Amino acid sequence: MKCVLLSFFVLLFWSCEKKDPNVVIIQTNFGDIKVRLYEQTPRHRDNFLKLTKEGYYEGILFHRVIPHFMIQAGDPDSKRAQAGEVLGGNSINYMIDAEIRPEFFHKKGALAAAREGDEVNPLKKSSGSHFYIVQGKVFRPSELDSLVVKINDRRRQTILDRLKKEKEVELRAYELMKDQENLNLIEQEINDQLKQLFEKGKLTLTEAQKEAYTTVGGVPHLDGDYTVFGEVIEGQDIVDRIAALKRDERDRPLKDAVILKMK
């Protein structure tokens, strides 16, 4: 009788235990990757859970893998892709407003949304289906400091190039007229905008970021530009295995890494 009662209470305990609604298991042909989605990025969390429930990712490949960087999936065309076929150009037909939060950054195991570049997507909206998981690398403190300088130089130049392109017609016209006064005014306007925009996009690492990048590793140059909406809590070794696959010149693995199911 005691054994029967014990079995009953064990079954009752397990039946009452609920799955964390923000945890998703990505089952692949290399093993399982368990991720937890952040409540603080609700648009991305809800979209990921919706696509998971609909079975959208079943059969989709990790079509782009780069060692010491990340693995990426989400192209619906990859479900039927032949060997060597170019992938990555297709997505679900909507984007998600950015939810870039400074406390969530690209440490090893970060789950983030891919997106189109700033030149066509200045609001940094995320792809509705493409996501990536960070593998990254570990940086020495001095190496990390130098990288931050390079990242900020590149971001500043990108902004400057975009601002100049926007004023390209006016600049060309005033150059042809040798109108130095108006050229100076436009250049001053560009410089004022550059200063304002650069301050918004400038990378400044917190102590938490520095600690992560010099211990577990990551990819700091993506911080502030892409929405991180979750992290791996089990199966980072599977991410590492997929990232290490031999690949072609477009970074597609020669052996398919398939998402079998997500739940």
Side-chain angles (χ1 to χ4, degrees):
M1 183 64 177
K2 288 182 180 179
C3 291
V4 172
L5 285 173
L6 180 60
S7 298
F8 171 77
F9 283 118
V10 169
L11 287 171
L12 180 64
F13 172 78
W14 283 111
S15 65
C16 291
E17 189 178 37
K18 293 182 179 179
K19 177 181 179 292
D20 186 336
N22 291 329
V23 170
V24 174
I25 300 173
I26 305 171
Q27 297 179 330
T28 81
N29 56 328
F30 287 89
D32 293 354
I33 305 166
K34 184 183 289 188
V35 297
R36 176 175 288 115
L37 311 178
Y38 298 141
E39 292 185 352
Q40 297 91 331
T41 52
R43 289 189 290 268
H44 287 73
R45 176 201 61 195
D46 292 349
N47 180 68
F48 200 73
L49 291 174
K50 171 181 174 290
L51 295 182
T52 295
K53 184 177 180 180
E54 293 173 351
Y56 175 88
Y57 288 109
E58 292 180 14
I60 276 181
L61 306 180
F62 282 98
H63 66 270
R64 183 171 178 241
V65 306
I66 303 176
H68 311 301
F69 185 29
M70 57 89 227
I71 63 174
Q72 180 177 340
D75 185 344
D77 290 346
S78 69
K79 289 186 178 185
R80 299 167 295 278
Q82 300 298 311
E85 186 176 338
V86 178
L87 297 172
N90 201 4
S91 178
I92 206 164
N93 62 350
Y94 59 82
M95 294 193 292
I96 307 168
D97 289 344
E99 294 179 295
I100 299 171
R101 300 177 62 96
E103 67 268 35
F104 301 138
F105 51 90
H106 289 80
K107 64 184 178 181
K108 184 170 186 174
L111 169 68
R115 67 176 182 86
E116 294 183 316
D118 285 359
E119 63 279 1
V120 295
N121 180 27
L123 296 180
K124 305 181 191 300
K125 292 186 176 185
S126 301
S127 162
S129 62
H130 282 250
F131 69 90
Y132 58 93
I133 302 174
V134 171
Q135 185 190 40
K137 59 168 283 188
V138 176
F139 295 86
R140 299 186 304 274
S142 59
E143 185 183 14
L144 185 60
D145 291 341
S146 297
L147 179 63
V148 170
V149 172
K150 289 179 182 177
I151 291 169
N152 283 327
D153 285 345
R154 185 166 63 246
R155 289 186 180 183
R156 187 181 187 280
Q157 188 61 50
T158 298
I159 295 169
L160 179 59
D161 290 344
R162 178 165 58 83
L163 292 173
K164 284 184 174 181
K165 187 173 182 59
E166 290 172 0
K167 296 289 186 179
E168 187 175 18
V169 174
E170 290 178 76
L171 286 169
R172 182 61 179 157
Y174 289 133
E175 284 173 357
L176 290 172
M177 291 186 292
K178 296 183 170 39
D179 187 342
Q180 193 60 47
E181 182 178 354
N182 277 310
L183 279 172
N184 290 341
L185 287 173
I186 291 177
E187 286 176 4
Q188 185 60 52
E189 181 184 346
I190 288 173
N191 287 332
D192 290 343
Q193 288 181 291
L194 173 61
K195 183 177 180 181
Q196 183 180 10
L197 292 171
F198 177 65
E199 284 305 313
K200 285 183 179 179
K202 184 179 180 181
L203 178 62
T204 304
L205 298 184
T206 64
E207 290 304 314
Q209 286 170 292
K210 292 177 183 177
E211 173 70 17
Y213 291 137
T214 55
T215 54
V216 298
V219 284
H221 73 274
L222 299 181
D223 287 346
D225 275 342
Y226 296 78
T227 296
V228 176
F229 64 97
E231 63 182 274
V232 174
I233 55 175
E234 290 180 25
Q236 183 63 38
D237 59 316
I238 305 303
V239 176
D240 295 342
R241 285 182 63 191
I242 294 172
L245 292 172
K246 292 182 179 179
R247 55 210 165 95
D248 63 20
E249 65 277 6
R250 296 182 182 87
D251 297 317
R252 177 180 169 180
L254 299 181
K255 178 179 180 180
D256 286 344
V258 190
I259 297 174
L260 304 173
K261 186 176 179 63
M262 283 172 48
K263 61 181 183 178

